[in-house]
Amino acid sequence: MAKFMVSITHAKDNSDNATVGFVVANASAASGVETVVFLTTEGVRLSSNGYADDVHEEGFAPLKQLMADFVEAEGKIWVCSPCFKKRGLDMNNLVKGATIVGGAKVVEFLTTGGSCITY
């Protein structure tokens, strides 16, 4: 089975990139590809419940909906552990489908046939 990772490095600091990243991830998941969104740097903020509620780029579905659709399509959201900790975010306030992971998990995914694109 094909594997695809979308690395999202932005949140409200560049909501266009964050939104497009989830649009691409949804297209991948809807195609039956094992898909992971990896939230890093500022992107980890998207893993907090309520953070994406008011993000809505013109011409796209609201980010909150894109994220929910992705999880419903069996997509996985991985959150960079050091990035998350650096920002002092609450591990008890993660969005549905989000898991805190270390770099080894990403390396394993990519070295077992996965490809990656960054937004």
Side-chain angles (χ1 to χ4, degrees):
M1 174 187 233
K3 295 171 26 166
F4 188 63
M5 177 178 284
V6 178
S7 177
I8 298 177
T9 61
H10 295 281
K12 289 181 181 177
D13 63 314
N14 187 333
S15 57
D16 190 39
N17 274 15
T19 298
V20 171
F22 270 100
V23 168
V24 171
N26 272 297
S28 177
S31 298
V33 174
E34 180 183 351
T35 309
V36 171
V37 165
F38 184 45
L39 301 176
T40 66
T41 59
E42 279 301 294
V44 298
R45 296 188 186 281
L46 298 174
S47 69
S48 295
N49 272 313
Y51 182 87
D53 288 0
D54 62 347
V55 179
H56 189 183
E57 286 291 320
E58 186 177 338
F60 296 97
L63 184 53
K64 178 181 179 179
Q65 184 63 50
L66 292 169
M67 292 174 68
D69 290 348
F70 177 68
V71 172
E72 274 186 41
E74 299 184 17
K76 298 177 187 104
I77 300 174
W78 290 353
V79 184
C80 170
S81 178
C83 302
F84 188 87
K85 289 176 185 173
K86 175 184 175 181
R87 286 159 180 80
L89 301 175
D90 183 0
M91 292 182 77
N92 296 314
N93 191 37
L94 292 174
V95 295
K96 181 180 177 183
T99 305
I100 306 292
V101 301
K105 186 87 168 161
V106 174
V107 171
E108 178 187 359
F109 183 87
L110 294 175
T111 58
T112 57
S115 59
C116 183
I117 189 168
T118 301
Y119 285 93

